[in-house]
Amino acid sequence: MLSVNQVGLAFGGTDLFKDISFQINPGERIGLVGRNGAGKSTLLKLIAGQISTDIGEISFPNNFKIGFLTQDIPSSGNLSVWEEAASSFVEIQSLEYEMQKQTEELETREDYESQGYMDLIENLSANQEKFQMLGGYTYQAEMEKVLIGLGFPAADFNKPLESFSGGWQMRVELAKILMQNNDVLLLDEPTNHLDIESIMWLEQFLAESSQAVILVSHDRTFLNNASTRTLEIVLGKSYDFPCPYYKYLRLREEIIEKQKQAKINQEKEIKQTQELIERFRYKASKAAFAQSLIKKLDKMELIEVDDEDTRNMTFKFPAAPRSGKIVSKIIDLHKSYGEKKVLSGIDMEIVRGQKIAFVGQNGQGKSTLVKILAENLDFKGEIETGHKISLGYYAQNQSEALDGSITVLETIENSAPEKIRIYARKMLGNFMFTGDDVEKKVSVLSGGERGRLALCQLMLNPINFLILDEPTNHLDMQAKDVLKKSLASYDGTLIIVSHDREFLSGLASVTYEFKGGKVKQHLGGIEYFLDQKKMQNMRQVELGIQEKSDSKEKKKKTIRNSRDKFKKIEREFKSAQNQEKSAQKVYETLQHELDILEEVLSNPIEFKKKSGEPGFYQKYEDLKIKLENSFIAWEKTVEKSSALNEELKKLET
């Protein structure tokens, strides 16, 4: 068991963490969530022992093994993929070498009855037993399974690691960590360089593993499938939820809302009580009553609402200079890497104002085509560029290409035209870089912060043709939403390469599917495309998996059952809405009655008349209890109607 106890950490006099405490038990899979810059990666570094805490401690048993996958691409040596992966098994390989030497020695010795010979046999036997315990007889099969699971074909095992891109080198690093049989895995954005098939394999691997996991990811689907528990970092504090990400979202929202309502009710009660105290404390006949109210206030535990990080990116793309009607025309384009054909006979016409999504499996040529358009990558065929085109390009590794030796402010000042350089701080503020943040070196920024900085850099010049290749990598959920909103209002021409259905939904008006070297146009957004392809979600698009065609009768039955279920839930929802309205009316009526009584209490003449009536005070207290109970009943009807409404939405999709 790993224990984090009251950990605190500060940078430059500002607390990053305050009193972070939690435990992780064997087999638990924790999704670590929070805004970019909240300290998720830093917390992983603390647990891994790469940096030290200011206060508190992180404890775990002796011989406890921690595997840590960072966002940093490792430097590649001259080893092959297989050799690099095998470096995870140093102890096994050392034992294997020693056993080989011992076996060779036994073959040459003839002093069969000597003590030395007997000791050699005993040592070899002990080594064989240890070798077996460490998995020495199966580790190569395990290596093959993991490498193939992460997307490496067997034919690539003996290729030099340095011949692969940084993303593929990260896969080898992930493979090494997965195979080390650690007690806990710390995985920082493990899906950033994986295709969908590999992501799904990783989900299954983690689900079947006995290793505990703490993972950071901005892939909602991966978090939903891979986590059993959610730990949120907000403004230096941690909040622990014993459920996966999708349930945490609802639970967190409900908790905050209930806290806010409870605080409002308490503040109202405190105000009313204080008014009663002031009214009665100087009257001898009511002094005891006033004192009891004072004691009640003193004992009251004040309700606090959990901290929320309300910061957000705020930006809008500059107005796009008007271009010609045809932005780009691609004619019979071909692209190969050696003998591998990536694109073959591509014809495409990009028209001003279009918002285009490129979808398909990894390796099908999406990034290659945008590189051809944006970076003049060599190709065969013809591309006609339209009139007055000003191009902006965000590459997959855009944030990694930033100069780490200079500050955030210098990055923008160096890139900005002279006339807007004076507004650099203001622009950075829109991307959540405020105060001393702008003086940070780029090298110390988190992946999400570098992503925001790269986006800010993209905004420095007016653009009418914008190409974004996986722009949501490293961005947190809120930043994704802001980017999507900004792109929706962008009046230029847009191409987006993304695996994120949620991000593409409602954004793209034209979809191009990449498959087998060809590109197929679908005149519609991602929802229309998925419907046409009869696919359930974006993952299935990327995998090229279509639903198996059922018989006509089975399809009719399924549709009929779905329709009947929808109508049933719809009826229940309408009934719940009526119940909600009735409960609200009861609450409002009781509140009105209470308000009348409280007016009496506040009016000396009316109070003198009514206070002498039998049961006046009891009526007042009973009414407050009824009001509280009616609110609880109303709240339950709201929760019921909300749940039914969510179920209806799911059935609609």
Side-chain angles (χ1 to χ4, degrees):
M1 180 178 70
L2 185 146
S3 181
V4 178
N5 303 304
Q6 299 179 317
V7 164
L9 184 69
F11 286 122
T14 303
D15 287 330
L16 181 62
F17 300 131
K18 295 171 288 187
D19 194 24
I20 300 287
S21 297
F22 65 94
Q23 292 180 342
I24 180 167
N25 300 305
E28 281 192 309
R29 302 192 301 278
I30 297 178
L32 184 59
V33 302
R35 304 294 296 271
N36 287 144
K40 302 184 296 294
S41 297
T42 302
L43 181 57
L44 295 187
K45 289 177 181 177
L46 283 169
I47 295 170
Q50 294 190 355
I51 55 177
S52 301
T53 64
D54 291 336
I55 56 172
E57 63 175 4
I58 297 170
S59 58
F60 41 79
N62 291 331
N63 301 318
F64 192 84
K65 294 194 294 184
I66 297 174
F68 184 24
L69 179 76
T70 70
Q71 295 183 33
D72 301 320
I73 294 174
S75 56
S76 61
N78 55 4
L79 298 177
S80 68
V81 169
W82 184 264
E83 289 168 337
E84 182 65 31
S87 67
S88 292
F89 302 96
V90 174
E91 189 176 3
I92 289 176
Q93 291 174 333
S94 178
L95 266 177
E96 195 170 30
Y97 177 70
E98 189 175 345
M99 285 161 55
Q100 186 180 348
K101 282 177 60 180
Q102 288 171 334
T103 303
E104 290 172 355
E105 186 178 347
L106 281 174
E107 290 173 354
T108 59
R109 290 182 65 160
E110 296 181 357
D111 53 336
Y112 307 121
E113 297 182 3
S114 69
Q115 186 61 42
Y117 191 88
M118 299 305 294
D119 290 343
L120 185 60
I121 291 177
E122 190 176 330
N123 290 336
L124 176 59
S125 178
N127 283 337
Q128 286 173 333
E129 188 176 341
K130 188 177 180 181
F131 188 75
Q132 184 175 4
M133 286 176 60
L134 292 172
Y137 297 107
T138 58
Y139 83 97
Q140 293 194 13
E142 180 70 12
M143 281 173 57
E144 186 173 354
K145 182 183 97 174
V146 172
L147 286 172
I148 289 174
L150 290 174
F152 287 94
D156 287 350
F157 287 176
N158 293 319
K159 290 182 179 178
L161 187 59
E162 61 185 2
S163 66
F164 291 86
S165 67
W168 283 95
Q169 291 177 33
M170 283 295 293
R171 295 191 192 207
V172 177
E173 198 67 17
L174 175 59
K176 287 163 63 179
I177 291 168
L178 295 178
M179 293 185 296
Q180 286 169 355
N181 196 28
N182 295 287
D183 294 290
V184 65
L185 298 174
L186 310 177
L187 306 180
D188 196 357
E189 297 288 1
T191 65
N192 272 356
H193 302 285
L194 299 183
D195 58 30
I196 291 301
E197 289 174 279
S198 300
I199 292 172
M200 294 178 69
W201 177 87
L202 180 59
E203 288 172 358
Q204 188 66 27
F205 181 93
L206 295 176
E208 293 174 354
S209 174
S210 61
Q211 302 171 99
V213 184
I214 304 177
L215 58 94
V216 175
S217 178
H218 295 131
D219 183 330
R220 283 184 172 95
T221 308
F222 179 68
L223 275 178
N224 289 342
N225 295 337
S227 65
T228 57
R229 179 177 156 198
T230 303
L231 187 72
E232 183 187 26
I233 306 292
V234 182
L235 300 175
K237 297 180 181 178
S238 63
Y239 300 88
D240 204 340
F241 300 86
C243 57
Y245 180 74
Y246 71 97
K247 288 185 179 178
Y248 139 77
L249 287 174
R250 291 202 299 268
L251 190 60
R252 175 77 162 130
E253 190 176 336
E254 289 171 7
I255 289 171
I256 295 290
E257 196 55 43
K258 286 179 179 178
Q259 286 176 342
K260 286 179 178 177
Q261 190 57 55
K263 189 173 179 64
I264 290 170
N265 294 338
Q266 188 183 62
E267 287 173 345
K268 187 176 180 180
E269 184 185 352
I270 290 171
K271 184 181 178 184
Q272 291 169 348
T273 305
Q274 287 172 336
E275 289 173 352
L276 287 173
I277 291 169
E278 289 301 314
R279 194 175 299 127
F280 297 141
R281 71 189 308 167
Y282 302 113
K283 296 182 179 180
S285 61
K286 303 294 182 185
F289 178 58
Q291 285 300 315
S292 68
L293 292 176
I294 292 171
K295 289 179 181 178
K296 179 184 175 183
L297 277 185
D298 289 340
K299 291 179 182 178
M300 187 178 290
E301 189 174 337
L302 295 179
I303 295 169
E304 292 191 5
V305 179
D306 290 341
D307 291 333
E308 291 185 272
D309 192 346
T310 56
R311 298 174 301 156
N312 217 334
M313 278 196 324
T314 55
F315 75 92
K316 186 178 180 181
F317 284 95
R322 189 171 178 83
S323 69
K325 184 178 180 181
I326 304 300
V327 174
S328 185
K329 190 173 183 178
I330 301 169
I331 305 165
D332 194 27
L333 185 145
H334 298 256
K335 176 63 182 176
S336 300
Y337 292 105
E339 296 181 358
K340 185 180 179 183
K341 281 188 178 182
V342 180
L343 298 169
S344 178
I346 307 302
D347 294 301
M348 186 183 298
E349 189 173 83
I350 300 168
V351 180
R352 183 182 64 227
Q354 281 184 324
K355 288 184 170 65
I356 298 167
F358 283 1
V359 302
Q361 291 179 318
N362 280 4
Q364 296 297 318
K366 305 184 299 295
S367 293
T368 297
L369 185 56
V370 298
K371 283 179 181 177
I372 289 171
L373 290 169
E375 299 181 340
N376 295 319
L377 192 69
D378 66 296
F379 65 94
K380 292 181 180 178
E382 187 179 352
I383 295 180
E384 296 176 0
T385 302
H387 186 56
K388 292 185 177 179
I389 300 300
S390 53
L391 183 106
Y393 175 48
Y394 185 99
Q396 277 194 42
N397 62 344
Q398 192 76 27
S399 62
E400 297 166 10
L402 296 170
D403 186 351
S405 66
I406 61 176
T407 67
V408 169
L409 182 60
E410 287 169 339
T411 300
I412 299 304
E413 287 179 337
N414 293 349
S415 304
E418 189 173 352
K419 62 181 180 181
I420 66 168
R421 206 167 290 161
I422 58 173
Y423 304 112
R425 287 180 179 271
K426 184 180 178 181
M427 293 183 69
L428 285 166
N430 293 337
F431 287 84
M432 296 170 56
F433 294 102
T434 58
D436 293 338
D437 291 343
V438 302
E439 301 300 336
K440 286 182 180 177
K441 288 288 180 68
V442 172
S443 59
V444 305
L445 299 180
S446 69
E449 289 171 322
R450 287 199 293 267
R452 295 203 311 268
L453 183 59
L455 282 173
C456 181
Q457 204 176 30
L458 195 64
M459 304 282 295
L460 298 174
N461 294 287
I463 295 163
N464 56 26
F465 186 21
L466 182 60
I467 300 175
L468 305 177
D469 192 358
E470 298 290 358
T472 61
N473 279 355
H474 301 297
L475 292 184
D476 61 34
M477 281 61 163
Q478 292 87 348
K480 281 188 193 180
D481 294 339
V482 173
L483 176 60
K484 180 177 177 177
K485 186 178 179 181
S486 301
L487 290 172
S489 63
Y490 172 62
D491 57 356
T493 307
L494 175 66
I495 292 178
I496 311 171
V497 180
S498 179
H499 300 304
D500 192 332
R501 175 186 175 179
E502 188 178 19
F503 182 72
L504 292 175
S505 179
L507 187 58
S509 56
V510 181
T511 304
Y512 284 94
E513 179 190 11
F514 287 67
K515 187 176 181 181
K518 302 292 185 181
V519 178
K520 184 177 180 181
Q521 185 187 49
H522 299 264
L523 293 173
I526 197 67
E527 299 88 350
Y528 174 79
F529 167 69
L530 293 173
D531 183 60
Q532 290 295 300
K533 300 293 291 184
K534 296 182 176 64
M535 297 180 181
Q536 294 179 340
N537 53 49
M538 195 61 185
R539 290 189 158 202
Q540 288 181 315
V541 173
E542 292 166 339
L543 289 172
I545 301 172
Q546 290 191 353
E547 295 177 345
K548 292 182 179 179
S549 58
D550 299 320
S551 66
K552 289 183 179 180
E553 192 59 34
K554 188 176 178 181
K555 284 184 179 179
K556 286 179 182 177
K557 187 179 178 181
T558 303
I559 292 168
R560 189 163 56 248
N561 291 341
S562 297
R563 193 182 295 124
D564 291 343
K565 186 177 180 181
F566 183 89
K567 287 181 178 178
K568 180 175 178 292
I569 301 293
E570 192 176 41
R571 287 195 299 271
E572 291 177 1
F573 175 60
K574 287 179 180 177
S575 174
Q577 278 186 313
N578 292 331
Q579 291 172 12
E580 180 183 334
K581 288 176 182 176
S582 299
Q584 184 180 356
K585 192 173 180 180
V586 170
Y587 173 81
E588 289 172 349
T589 302
L590 290 169
Q591 183 64 63
H592 180 65
E593 291 179 19
L594 187 64
D595 289 342
I596 293 172
L597 274 183
E598 287 174 344
E599 283 182 15
V600 171
L601 291 172
S602 63
N603 188 316
I605 299 171
E606 287 296 316
F607 177 74
K608 191 174 181 180
K609 289 181 186 177
K610 295 288 185 179
S611 60
E613 296 179 2
F616 175 79
Y617 291 108
Q618 188 60 48
K619 181 182 178 183
Y620 177 74
E621 292 299 324
D622 289 346
L623 193 55
K624 286 200 312 184
I625 293 169
K626 284 182 181 178
L627 183 67
E628 186 177 347
N629 291 336
S630 72
F631 178 79
I632 294 169
W634 179 25
E635 188 179 41
K636 286 180 179 178
T637 63
V638 171
E639 288 175 351
K640 185 179 178 181
S641 63
S642 298
L644 289 167
N645 190 33
E646 287 297 318
E647 198 167 348
L648 278 176
K649 287 179 180 178
K650 288 178 183 177
L651 290 172
E652 286 176 342
T653 57

